[in-house]
Amino acid sequence: MIRDRAGMPPAAGPLTGPEPAGPLTGLKVVDLATLFAGPLAATMLGDFGADVIKVEHPRRPDPSRGHGPAKDGVGLWWKLLGRNKRNLTLDLSAPGGRDVLLELAAGTDVIVENFRPGTLERWGLGPEELHAVNPRLVLARVTGFGQFGPYAHRPGFGTLAEAMSGFAAITGEPDGPPTLPPFGLADSIAALATAYAVMAALAGRERTGRGQVVDLAIIEPILTVLGPQPLWYDQLGYVQPRTGNRSRNNAPRNTYRTADGHWVAVSTSAQSVAERVMRLVGRPELIEEPWFAAGATRAEHGEELDAAVGHWISRHDRDEVLDAFEKAEAAVAPIHDVREVMEDPQYRALGTLTEVDDPELGPLRMQNVLFRLSGTPGAIRWAGRPHGADTEEILTGLGLTGARIAALRDQGAL
């Protein structure tokens, strides 16, 4: 079953007919990366039509296959991360493995890799060798710290980027420790940045006719999305503190518990919204205070504003709170766990979650492709496939004979 994502309400039933032609149809991508930024970037390209070949070590599969909960021995994270990818086993360091990769590269548009700097070069597969067989190739190199600098040789993971970027330092309660996210935040941001960088490099290729190297350090994209902190420090010596759920830029902004034990989040980034909230909760006199006229000065009175909003919310059930805020055109959202995400009517309307038929596990519900395109939508063609499931097909399509494939197996390259 193919599920696409056009800029219109999703169909009530399964989609039928020819496979949709995503905007990246015809683009060939080889995914050499593991855990998680590089592979997720390749997934995003595959979601919009790219033919992605996932290369895994014959005896050491991508570790994401074993991350998190599994069903019937099959890792569920891989079903998401490995979707729309054909799977090839290949030991790049074994005799014959390098040759096969170079043959793949000759007909490939993009290679995504995340080995430590110098590893591909040690195997004779660095940019010089790859561009010798394909000058139009875009080589995306995703590492913790980039290809050069004093930390380049270190093993790098998203957790380290979340620590080094300043994210952990500003996350958590004021009197609590720096807080790391319980999911791959830095890796996910880096994946988005990598997919964008690849498309920028491909656009450049349209003008120059030549590929290039993308050097992406996971420590950098998360720093970009943290906002103007370096600029604040450079110009004012200002260091953003931990404020819990509050903001230094506006108030009230927090999470509040309802009478029936649920939680909601309120934001008042716009002055008009802040005024509507105070009228709703029965404290219109606060609007007349001189300090209420700007978000930063409202934030200085966060305790008072939180007390007013929290008191009103605590006396009403969640549905009552949400209805009242909607009628007042004030910004509020329920704080969902994944159970409520799966049932939320807005996510349902957008088709944010979709069902994919999987031959191993049956129907799977997962996140849909990332955004809607009205003319050339992305699509989920299949969920992550078994280790090496497409090796024979890929190598045969590359022109390898049965005898050569058998020899590669004997050498341990497959």
Side-chain angles (χ1 to χ4, degrees):
M1 180 192 301
I2 299 166
R3 297 284 185 155
D4 77 353
R5 197 163 197 207
M8 58 192 70
L15 297 167
T16 57
E19 180 173 331
L24 301 184
T25 297
L27 188 74
K28 297 187 180 300
V29 178
V30 172
D31 173 11
L32 303 180
T34 59
L35 289 179
F36 281 96
L40 182 55
T43 302
M44 293 173 182
L45 300 175
D47 283 351
F48 286 91
D51 176 17
V52 181
I53 294 176
K54 172 68 178 180
V55 177
E56 297 178 83
H57 193 282
R59 293 163 293 282
R60 296 190 297 277
D62 189 311
S64 66
R65 290 182 180 272
H67 264 60
K71 179 182 178 183
D72 299 334
V74 179
L76 295 175
W77 203 326
W78 173 252
K79 288 296 179 183
L80 178 67
L81 190 63
R83 72 188 190 190
N84 292 336
K85 298 179 183 181
R86 296 190 291 153
N87 292 346
L88 166 70
T89 62
L90 190 64
D91 183 350
L92 303 182
S93 66
R98 172 185 181 273
D99 296 337
V100 172
L101 195 281
L102 288 174
E103 291 176 56
L104 266 178
T108 291
D109 297 289
V110 180
I111 290 179
V112 182
E113 65 99 359
N114 72 336
F115 297 105
R116 283 202 219 180
T119 301
L120 283 186
E121 286 82 352
R122 189 170 68 250
W123 293 336
L125 291 169
E128 184 176 346
E129 291 85 357
L130 292 171
H131 283 140
V133 300
N134 183 356
R136 291 174 56 82
L137 178 71
V138 171
L139 175 62
R141 316 193 78 172
V142 186
T143 56
F145 304 105
Q147 293 296 310
F148 56 90
Y151 301 166
H153 66 285
R154 297 180 181 178
F157 298 99
T159 297
L160 308 187
E162 290 145 11
M164 283 184 60
S165 64
F167 171 85
I170 64 169
T171 304
E173 295 300 322
D175 57 351
T179 301
L180 296 167
F183 65 101
L185 176 63
D187 276 296
S188 299
I189 297 171
L192 288 163
T194 301
Y196 169 55
V198 165
M199 298 310 299
L202 290 171
R205 189 178 73 174
E206 291 299 305
R207 296 201 312 274
T208 68
R210 299 189 65 82
Q212 58 186 298
V213 175
V214 173
D215 176 9
L216 191 135
I218 296 173
I219 61 172
E220 292 183 300
I222 188 171
L223 181 58
T224 296
V225 303
L226 282 171
Q229 291 189 52
L231 180 59
W232 287 340
Y233 181 75
D234 176 63
Q235 295 297 303
L236 302 172
Y238 175 76
V239 178
Q240 183 174 336
R242 287 192 290 283
T243 57
N245 290 320
R246 288 183 178 164
S247 169
R248 285 295 181 100
N249 303 312
N250 63 80
R253 191 262 199 184
N254 214 324
T255 61
Y256 307 92
R257 190 165 188 166
T258 62
D260 54 352
H262 293 288
W263 291 84
V264 296
V266 173
S267 177
T268 57
S269 295
Q271 180 68 24
S272 59
V273 173
E275 294 175 5
R276 291 173 198 153
V277 170
M278 300 322 296
R279 292 190 185 100
L280 171 63
V281 303
R283 298 296 303 275
E285 75 280 3
L286 293 176
I287 299 172
E288 304 305 319
E289 296 286 348
W291 51 260
F292 198 88
T297 49
R298 290 202 314 272
E300 294 172 1
H301 295 261
E303 289 281 357
E304 184 176 359
L305 295 172
D306 271 348
V309 175
H311 177 69
W312 185 89
I313 288 176
S314 70
R315 293 164 32 234
H316 297 82
D317 289 348
R318 183 175 68 174
D319 288 347
E320 295 173 336
V321 171
L322 298 177
D323 288 344
F325 268 72
E326 183 173 359
K327 289 174 183 175
E329 297 185 357
V332 70
I335 293 180
H336 285 335
D337 63 18
V338 69
R339 294 167 294 188
E340 294 168 304
V341 168
M342 301 291 274
E343 304 301 327
D344 186 277
Q346 183 61 29
Y347 282 133
R348 284 181 176 273
L350 293 174
T352 306
L353 298 165
T354 191
E355 186 175 283
V356 181
D357 286 336
D358 180 68
E360 285 188 287
L361 298 178
L364 304 173
R365 291 176 69 192
M366 65 174 66
Q367 297 96 319
N368 210 333
V369 300
L370 195 55
F371 47 84
R372 290 164 294 281
L373 295 179
S374 62
T376 54
I380 301 174
R381 289 159 285 167
W382 59 82
R385 291 164 58 74
H387 182 230
D390 306 292
T391 297
E392 297 282 347
E393 174 192 323
I394 292 168
L395 296 183
T396 300
L398 199 58
L400 274 66
T401 65
R404 186 175 171 196
I405 293 172
L408 288 168
R409 291 196 187 280
D410 291 341
Q411 294 168 342
L414 303 181

